[in-house]
Amino acid sequence: MTTSATNATTARIVVGVDGSESSYEALRWAARLAPTLGATIQAVSAWQYPYTDGTLPVPTMDWEQLSVDTIDQSIRDVFGDAPPAGLVTTVERGHPSRVLIEAAHGATLLIVGSRGHGGFAGLLLGSVSQHVAEHAGCPVLVVHRHLARDDCPGH
């Protein structure tokens, strides 16, 4: 039987970040697991123009910059002035499910929150977390925001 160690230069944890508390928990889990896996963390945020049927005006905004600001603020909120070494951010245009699945290609692990900002609060999983759990090419960890920090390993 052959075993191989995880290469620290190639091990990577991808984390979906949308500014929700659930995505904050995903970042916290990534920071806990990265040293064990010898992995870097790639925080990923997706943006797209809002759908409109033409009856409602869409505010003129820089949607990409809003996404950049959201991921930067999320990292500051979770880690303060001490983000994990090697943490990188990626902001891509597209549906979050597609962007995360593409970003996770070749990753060691993909971590997402169970619920983001959209959808129906009563559902166990959001559409993005459910889609990536079914279609990602790597293991997926879905973090539930109601999980108490005291229940998490390493706390």
Side-chain angles (χ1 to χ4, degrees):
M1 178 166 93
T2 304
T3 60
S4 61
T6 302
N7 184 340
T9 60
T10 59
R12 180 172 51 96
I13 299 174
V14 174
V15 184
V17 178
D18 67 359
S20 67
E21 184 57 37
S22 192
S23 72
Y24 283 18
E25 283 302 314
L27 280 168
R28 290 181 188 109
W29 272 93
R32 279 185 217 102
L33 293 173
T36 301
L37 298 172
T40 59
I41 300 171
Q42 179 184 4
V44 176
S45 184
W47 67 276
Q48 59 186 1
Y49 292 108
Y51 170 77
T52 179
D53 61 4
T55 60
L56 296 173
V58 176
T60 43
M61 299 179 74
D62 185 343
W63 297 100
E64 182 175 17
Q65 186 60 52
L66 179 63
S67 193
V68 168
D69 293 345
T70 298
I71 202 168
D72 289 347
Q73 186 63 51
S74 296
I75 291 168
R76 279 192 302 275
D77 289 348
V78 172
F79 302 117
D81 293 332
L87 183 141
V88 296
T89 61
T90 302
V91 175
E92 293 285 332
R93 180 180 178 185
H95 190 275
S97 298
R98 181 189 60 78
V99 169
L100 287 169
I101 289 169
E102 288 177 6
H105 182 74
T108 305
L109 180 66
L110 170 60
I111 305 178
V112 293
S114 61
R115 303 285 316 148
H117 281 301
F120 300 97
L123 297 177
L124 178 62
L125 293 178
S127 61
V128 171
S129 58
Q130 183 173 4
H131 190 84
V132 300
E134 293 175 15
H135 299 286
C138 67
V140 177
L141 172 61
V142 179
V143 178
H144 294 272
R145 68 181 173 163
H146 67 273
L147 186 62
R149 291 184 66 134
D150 292 340
D151 295 337
C152 299
H155 276 283

